[in-house]
Amino acid sequence: MSGLAVVTAARRYRALIASPGVARVAVPSLIGRLPYGMATLVFVLAVQHGTGSYAIAGIATGVHSAVTAFTAPWLGRLCDRGHAAAVLRVTGVLYAALLTAMVVVLWRQDPVWLIIALAAVAGAANPPVGAVTRVVLPGLAPAHAKTAYAFDAITVELTYVLGPMLIALVIAVANPYVAVVLTALLATVGSLGLAAAPGLTARYHEIRTGAGTAAPLRRDRPRLLLLSMVVVLVVGALEAAAYGVMEVAIPAYAADLGTPQFAGAVVAAWSAGSITGGIWFSGLNPRLSQAKLFALLLCLNTLGFAAMLLAHGLPSLALILFLGGMVISPTTAVECALVTDIAPTGRSTEAFTLVGTGIYVGFAAGSSLSGVLISRGTALSSVILVATAMVGFGALLALSGRRRIAADAARGVATAVETPARA
């Protein structure tokens, strides 16, 4: 990694954090997104602890994720219509209340249907902290927008490192129910803190004032699902599916080697590489357009997946994951910038929640497929090839659609610049 790039990145991050209102958004956003890296694991552990069944735990986790994926775009639409602070307050409190109620139900050993129902309703109330942050943060520091997207991508990776660590710590001194309560508390504190950030209301007011009254369902408004947006959504879902495949395959591989306790550390190497790559990327000044850069990073990501075929044991796999992971955060940062540019003015939050929906669906499909393949005795090399093919297909889509994506992104930027003048 270039030392100059790291120094430049550090300077840019310092300038970003020093921008008015950024810290008031970034801190509660990190707190509120920690449950993203905790929810799946804590659901499985708590429900299994209360019912004694991994099958029920899997159903509860799947239902929670599926309902979150379905309802998130509706919450995003409400945010875009000027109700972001209210949505965060209501969902932050409701989500915590529902998770706490689920703990009570598990502790009392109430019927299974009630556990599943609470998991589903909690999914519907999952606070859209990530989507709101991706709309607000770059707008607070437009001169550092690229750095803001990279910072956001790194924050996401941190949640998947810190979240499981918190769960492990809590379970070591207490039990899974306490971990659920902690997850609920973090969601509430983060959501309420973000809702109270002065920059949030000001940013959404600025968007609505510039774009006019948001009315996503009216036919005279630009379509959200342009072909270029569909390509970005599908590519994101394919990436998530590939990660889902490997996040099931890696623990299975570790178990086959007789060292299941090291699976978490191997997966963590992936996130560590992503964080490192995100910091490095922030110090670069790429000359390629965002669309071409997106396609290039996806091609590099494909190579990273294919390189796993060279692994012989967990140490070499961890090293390959670290190196391959260095393109994950940069890819996410560029994807966020493209979504912002492509989405019609006043509908960015909805667009980001749709991206989240694609990721939820893709990850669930990938992990389910991986489970089926592994249960049938499929070799790890074949599973890796499946994951590589998914990312490779996404790279081909990005390559073939790069001109359309670039054109729609440029049109979106031009519209965003011209609209305030018309207003």
Side-chain angles (χ1 to χ4, degrees):
M1 180 183 295
S2 168
L4 179 60
V6 174
V7 171
T8 302
R11 186 172 66 249
R12 289 175 177 174
Y13 281 122
R14 187 165 57 247
L16 172 67
I17 297 300
S19 299
V22 167
R24 287 283 283 108
V25 168
V27 173
S29 174
L30 174 60
I31 295 172
R33 283 201 278 192
L34 280 173
Y36 291 9
M38 301 167 67
T40 298
L41 181 58
V42 83
F43 259 84
V44 170
L45 294 174
V47 176
Q48 192 279 332
H49 181 75
T51 64
S53 170
Y54 277 107
I56 297 173
I59 293 171
T61 304
V63 166
H64 178 268
S65 296
V67 175
T68 295
F70 178 76
T71 57
W74 298 96
L75 294 177
R77 183 173 296 183
L78 284 173
C79 290
D80 285 331
R81 288 179 170 175
H83 309 296
V87 168
L88 288 170
R89 292 189 191 103
V90 172
T91 56
V93 174
L94 185 57
Y95 188 68
L98 289 165
L99 290 186
T100 304
M102 191 179 75
V103 167
V104 173
V105 167
L106 287 167
W107 178 69
R108 291 175 50 184
Q109 296 187 328
D110 283 335
V112 170
W113 68 264
L114 187 54
I115 298 170
I116 303 299
L118 284 171
V121 180
N126 206 340
V129 174
V132 170
T133 301
R134 286 173 172 174
V135 172
V136 174
L137 197 61
L140 293 176
H144 307 289
K146 173 177 170 288
T147 306
Y149 289 124
F151 178 81
D152 177 83
I154 292 171
T155 300
V156 172
E157 292 297 336
L158 278 174
T159 66
Y160 287 98
V161 174
L162 298 177
M165 289 174 58
L166 282 173
I167 291 174
L169 179 62
V170 171
I171 292 178
V173 299
N175 59 57
Y177 294 162
V178 178
V180 175
V181 174
L182 174 62
T183 303
L185 179 63
L186 290 171
T188 300
V189 171
S191 298
L192 295 181
L194 184 58
L200 182 137
T201 301
R203 175 60 181 152
Y204 273 99
H205 177 72
E206 174 187 319
I207 293 172
R208 285 175 59 80
T209 300
T213 303
L217 295 179
R218 285 178 54 186
R219 295 189 178 184
D220 59 341
R221 292 294 170 193
R223 289 181 297 122
L224 175 59
L225 291 179
L226 297 167
L227 179 60
S228 53
M229 180 66 78
V230 172
V231 171
V232 173
L233 293 176
V234 172
V235 168
L238 286 168
E239 274 193 289
Y243 296 137
V245 167
M246 294 312 303
E247 289 206 16
V248 173
I250 291 170
Y253 177 57
D256 287 344
L257 294 177
T259 54
Q261 67 273 22
F262 294 124
V266 174
V267 174
W270 221 353
S271 293
S274 179
I275 292 169
T276 304
I279 294 172
W280 171 67
F281 180 73
S282 302
L284 300 180
N285 297 296
R287 296 184 179 180
L288 294 175
S289 68
Q290 296 282 51
K292 289 181 180 179
L293 188 58
F294 186 51
L296 173 61
L297 288 168
L298 284 167
C299 290
L300 293 175
N301 205 9
T302 304
L303 291 176
F305 272 84
M308 295 181 206
L309 292 168
L310 303 176
H312 293 282
L314 293 183
S316 61
L317 179 59
L319 177 61
I320 291 170
L321 288 174
F322 177 85
L323 295 174
M326 291 183 69
V327 299
I328 296 176
S329 283
T331 304
T332 302
V334 174
E335 182 180 5
C336 289
L338 285 173
V339 171
T340 299
D341 291 343
I342 295 170
T345 305
R347 299 185 67 184
S348 295
T349 315
E350 185 181 353
F352 280 122
T353 53
L354 278 172
V355 171
T357 294
I359 291 172
Y360 272 111
V361 172
F363 190 89
S367 56
S368 299
L369 175 60
S370 185
V372 171
L373 292 174
I374 291 169
S375 67
R376 293 182 177 180
T378 305
L380 177 67
S381 58
S382 298
V383 176
I384 291 173
L385 285 174
V386 170
T388 304
M390 290 174 172
V391 181
F393 185 60
L396 286 174
L397 279 176
L399 280 168
S400 61
R402 66 186 185 279
R403 292 180 181 175
R404 181 61 178 267
I405 293 172
D408 284 345
R411 189 180 300 114
V413 171
T415 302
V417 171
E418 293 169 6
T419 300
R422 289 199 302 271

